[in-house]
Amino acid sequence: MSERTLTTAVKDAASSQVVAPFFAVSADFPSGMVRIWAGVGELTFDSNTYEGVGEFLGIEAITETVDGSANGLALSLSGIPSDIRNPIIDDKYSGREAEVFMGCFDPNTGEILDDPITIFKGHMDTDFLREDGKTSTITLRVESRIVDLLRSREHRYTLEGQHTLKGTTTDDGLEFMPTMQETQVKWGQ
C-alpha cells in the first residue's frame, strides 16, 4: 500500500504508540451487496453499514509490485453454519466487484479517523470451501482488475462475432468483411 493515499490523520495515527486499524470488505453478489468488517457490531462509513464478523474474517496479505504485475488476494470467512453456506456458494458472482478498505480508529474516542481508504479493488473469481461438519470456511479469491486486461480475447471481426458481442442487433456492417479480405485495392491511381 502506498503512503501517498493516506490522509494526514491516518499517518499521524500510524506513527503513534497505539494504533487501532480496521479492515472492511464490500462484495457485490447478485443476491445483494455484502458488507462486513473484522470487528464486533456495526460500523458505518460512506453511508454504508458493515456487519461485524470479528476474527472470522481473514484477509490475505496484499502485495504490490514495481513491475505492474497483477496480484490478487484471498478473503476467508470462517464459522459459517453449514445450512446458510449454500446461498453463498450457489450465487453466480464470478467477475463481480469486491473492495477491501482500511481505516483507523482514534484510540481515545473510538471514532473513525477520516474516510477509510480502498487498499484493494478487484473482481471475485473462485472460491474454496472447507467443512468440518458443523461450520464452513469459505475462501474467496479476488483478482486484480489488471488480470482482466491481460486475458486474451476470443473475438473475431465477423458478422457472427458482432452479433455475439452485441446480442440481437440490426447492424450488419461486418457482413462484407469476407469479401473485403479478398479485394485488391490499387492505391494512387
Side-chain angles (χ1 to χ4, degrees):
M1 178 178 50
S2 176
E3 182 183 16
R4 68 185 172 275
T5 61
L6 299 177
T7 64
T8 303
V10 173
K11 286 179 190 177
D12 292 344
S15 64
S16 67
Q17 288 186 339
V18 178
V19 180
F22 68 87
F23 296 92
V25 174
S26 175
D28 182 19
F29 284 91
S31 58
M33 190 65 76
V34 173
R35 293 183 177 96
I36 55 177
W37 76 288
V40 179
E42 292 183 345
L43 177 69
T44 302
F45 63 89
D46 290 338
S47 302
N48 295 314
T49 302
Y50 294 76
E51 297 295 325
V53 293
E55 61 188 39
F56 298 111
L57 175 64
I59 301 172
E60 182 181 67
I62 298 170
T63 58
E64 287 187 347
T65 59
V66 294
D67 64 357
S69 60
N71 294 320
L73 69 92
L75 303 171
S76 62
L77 189 59
S78 61
I80 302 169
S82 296
D83 60 332
I84 65 167
R85 73 154 167 82
N86 285 342
I88 297 170
I89 296 298
D90 294 340
D91 224 348
K92 305 292 183 213
Y93 57 80
S94 183
R96 297 181 70 105
E97 284 201 355
E99 196 167 0
V100 179
F101 300 93
M102 186 204 81
C104 285
F105 292 115
D106 182 317
N108 299 318
T109 66
E111 296 293 318
I112 296 174
L113 295 175
D114 294 331
D115 288 331
I117 59 169
T118 299
I119 58 173
F120 190 86
K121 188 172 187 176
H123 295 102
M124 294 183 277
D125 190 18
T126 58
D127 59 49
F128 173 74
L129 176 68
R130 189 182 66 205
E131 293 186 288
D132 67 8
K134 295 180 183 176
T135 62
S136 303
T137 299
I138 297 175
T139 302
L140 177 64
R141 198 77 204 147
V142 180
E143 296 299 337
S144 168
R145 294 181 289 180
I146 295 172
V147 169
D148 191 48
L149 294 174
L150 299 174
R151 190 171 286 139
S152 64
R153 304 289 187 237
E154 294 297 326
H155 176 68
R156 304 285 183 248
Y157 288 99
T158 63
L159 183 61
E160 294 79 19
Q162 183 178 19
H163 287 287
T164 301
L165 279 178
K166 301 286 184 179
T168 306
T169 179
T170 58
D171 183 359
D172 292 330
L174 290 177
E175 72 179 306
F176 304 107
M177 187 60 80
T179 57
M180 289 175 55
Q181 292 175 348
E182 303 299 322
T183 303
Q184 292 199 8
V185 179
K186 296 180 181 180
W187 293 97
Q189 294 186 7

